Amino acid sequence: MRDWTAAILGACALPAAAAAGEATRAPFGTLPDGRVVEEVTLTNGTLTARIIAWGAALRSLDVPDRDGRHADVVLGYADLASYLGKSNYFGASVGRYANRIRGGRFTLDGRDYTLARNDGPNMLHGGKEGFDRRLWSIEAVEGGATPSVTLRYVSPDGEEGFPGTLTATVTYTLSAADTLRIEYRATTDRPTLVNLTNHSYFNLAGEGSGRSILDHRIMIPADRYTPVDETQIPTGEIAPVAGTPFDFRDEERIGARIRDGRAVQLLRGHGYDHNYVLGDAPSDEPRLAARVTDPASGRVLEVASTAPGVQFYTGNMLDATTVGKSGLAYRQSDAFALEPELFPDTPNQPAFGSARLDPGGMVRNVITYRFPSPSSPDRTAR
């Protein structure tokens, strides 16, 4: 197995060529209560990202293929009404706690808290009205060589059962010709729990291509993952990937082993929906979480983050009842998600670390989506 991390992150550190970037804002829709939801478009001549204030969501991301033809590679909707209906977390900023908490319960400083349960017996992605279903305020829009937008949401004490008033921000930046950088930060006025991430679904062939992601090739540089029980809560075990369908340390087709009926974990997740262990704690600088290639288009996505884990999800619950931006019904395996975050159910599993945030402190999760050009030296290396 190649040591991808140094090569990829080293390439990210190279100075970007000077290019004129733009950042514009326009109305996207109106909520039933009359509040206007805006969309900000960031472009740098290579990538174009569109972010809506509803859920601070990445609505589209245009990326060139090997022949320079652009396509939108993230799932999403054409109108606000669809986001207000069946959101599916498309591109959303999820919190206050991304992923699942067992039984919708946790204990903090000797006090028991009960959360909104929206995934069978468990809480998922912040509850019934998580950060993905809130209107964030647009705090700043910047043009120039690195166009960006910063959004902010203040979650009141007790929202969805979580203690403390939490102030969260996210900044989307086209930080180089081939990179979208997302930085989450949060502070609180009382001890609380925080786990913020982005929930974009990717199809590198294009979200309107009608092709599945099963022929995409993925590399995840993790030798451990966290198996789950029947309700997709981690069992507490941190298991080796070696000898299992979860071993992607060497690049492999996403669909190569996804139908292995002998693998109980694949049956429980209806495919891949599992946390991979990148480290034992958050890092100061982003580390490689995954590399995905679409052989047909030549597009490559490299995901890096400061989070200790990454949830790999193969769109198992997409059931053709959702119509996307291109007018196509999204089906199972039409996209994958890579969600860099703390481990699921960390508040109830001390061996996983801590999700605690105290007054005066700050949590931070930096995520980068890099799309190297065909000329990048690490593009074809094996």
Side-chain angles (χ1 to χ4, degrees), residues 229-255:
D229 66 15
E230 294 81 357
T231 68
Q232 294 183 264
I233 291 291
T235 62
E237 180 185 9
I238 297 179
V241 299
T244 78
F246 294 86
D247 191 350
F248 289 103
R249 291 173 294 175
D250 288 315
E251 187 182 76
E252 180 59 272
R253 286 180 57 248
I254 289 177

Side-chain angles (χ1 to χ4, degrees), residues 121-135:
N122 305 316
M123 184 227 69
L124 175 65
H125 294 326
K128 297 178 181 178
E129 300 290 331
F131 289 6
D132 62 297
R133 301 191 66 81
R134 305 292 179 176
L135 181 61

Side-chain angles (χ1 to χ4, degrees), residues 23-74:
T24 60
R25 57 196 294 180
F28 179 68
T30 303
L31 296 174
D33 62 9
R35 290 179 294 169
V36 175
V37 176
E38 289 189 284
E39 179 174 73
V40 174
T41 301
L42 308 177
T43 184
N44 63 2
T46 303
L47 305 179
T48 299
R50 296 176 180 86
I51 298 97
I52 59 172
W54 181 253
L58 178 64
R59 192 177 76 87
S60 70
L61 182 58
D62 294 343
V63 178
D65 66 7
R66 64 165 60 94
D67 298 315
R69 294 173 298 208
H70 282 72
D72 183 358
V73 299
V74 297

Side-chain angles (χ1 to χ4, degrees), residues 2 5-19 44 145-146 174-181 285 302 368 370 372-373 375-379:
R2 181 185 171 195
T5 304
I8 291 173
L9 298 186
C12 287
L14 294 176
N44 63 2
T146 55
L174 293 181
S175 61
D178 56 10
T179 302
L180 174 64
R181 182 181 190 271
E285 297 297 328
E302 294 160 355
T368 61
R370 179 174 178 251
S373 66
S375 61
S376 296
D378 56 305
R379 163 76 180 275

Side-chain angles (χ1 to χ4, degrees), residues 67-364:
D67 298 315
R69 294 173 298 208
H70 282 72
D72 183 358
V73 299
V74 297
L75 272 54
Y77 293 117
D79 55 69
L80 179 60
S82 298
Y83 283 97
L84 297 180
K86 191 176 181 180
S87 79
N88 285 296
Y89 307 103
F90 289 151
S93 296
V94 292
R96 181 176 305 194
Y97 194 93
N99 219 307
R100 294 174 173 87
I101 294 179
R102 181 192 300 273
R105 307 178 71 88
F106 68 92
T107 300
L108 187 64
D109 293 335
R111 178 176 174 182
D112 295 331
Y113 291 90
T114 300
L115 309 173
R117 300 176 186 178
N118 61 321
D119 184 56
N122 305 316
M123 184 227 69
L124 175 65
H125 294 326
K128 297 178 181 178
E129 300 290 331
F131 289 6
D132 62 297
R133 301 191 66 81
R134 305 292 179 176
L135 181 61
W136 295 54
S137 62
I138 297 176
E139 299 294 294
V141 178
E142 303 288 344
T146 55
S148 68
V149 58
T150 298
L151 303 98
R152 178 174 179 264
Y153 177 66
V154 179
S155 174
D157 180 31
E159 185 173 76
E160 296 298 288
F162 289 96
T165 299
L166 187 86
T167 300
T169 63
V170 57
T171 300
Y172 289 86
T173 305
L174 293 181
S175 61
D178 56 10
T179 302
L180 174 64
R181 182 181 190 271
I182 305 174
E183 180 170 355
Y184 291 98
R185 297 187 176 211
T187 58
T188 185
D189 64 354
R190 286 180 55 196
T192 192
L193 304 178
V194 185
N195 185 24
L196 303 177
T197 194
N198 184 271
H199 202 296
S200 289
Y201 291 72
F202 291 92
N203 185 321
L204 299 182
E207 67 84 28
S209 68
R211 292 177 47 217
S212 85
I213 48 85
L214 295 180
D215 286 331
H216 285 30
R217 301 182 66 85
I218 189 168
M219 188 281 296
I220 302 175
D223 58 12
R224 298 173 295 164
Y225 80 112
T226 52
V228 297
D229 66 15
E230 294 81 357
T231 68
Q232 294 183 264
I233 291 291
T235 62
E237 180 185 9
I238 297 179
V241 299
T244 78
F246 294 86
D247 191 350
F248 289 103
R249 291 173 294 175
D250 288 315
E251 187 182 76
E252 180 59 272
R253 286 180 57 248
I254 289 177
R257 297 164 297 201
I258 199 170
R259 299 186 187 279
D260 186 348
R262 299 164 298 177
V264 173
Q265 287 297 309
L266 287 177
L267 297 177
R268 289 178 177 175
H270 305 281
Y272 294 103
D273 190 6
H274 293 75
N275 168 65
Y276 282 77
V277 178
L278 304 174
D280 296 326
S283 58
D284 292 332
E285 297 297 328
R287 55 192 158 197
L288 183 65
R291 185 180 195 266
V292 186
T293 304
D294 173 33
S297 69
R299 293 187 182 91
V300 178
L301 168 62
E302 294 160 355
V303 181
S305 173
T306 55
V310 61
Q311 187 85 4
F312 175 42
Y313 174 56
T314 45
N316 312 322
M317 295 296 108
L318 298 176
D319 59 3
T321 61
T322 295
V323 178
K325 291 169 284 189
S326 298
L328 298 181
Y330 293 146
R331 304 169 307 168
Q332 186 180 53
S333 301
D334 274 355
F336 65 90
L338 290 161
E339 308 155 48
E341 59 195 21
L342 301 180
F343 301 173
D345 200 37
T346 287
N348 295 313
Q349 308 214 28
F352 287 179
S354 175
R356 183 186 180 111
L357 176 63
D358 289 311
M362 181 185 69
V363 296
R364 175 174 173 263

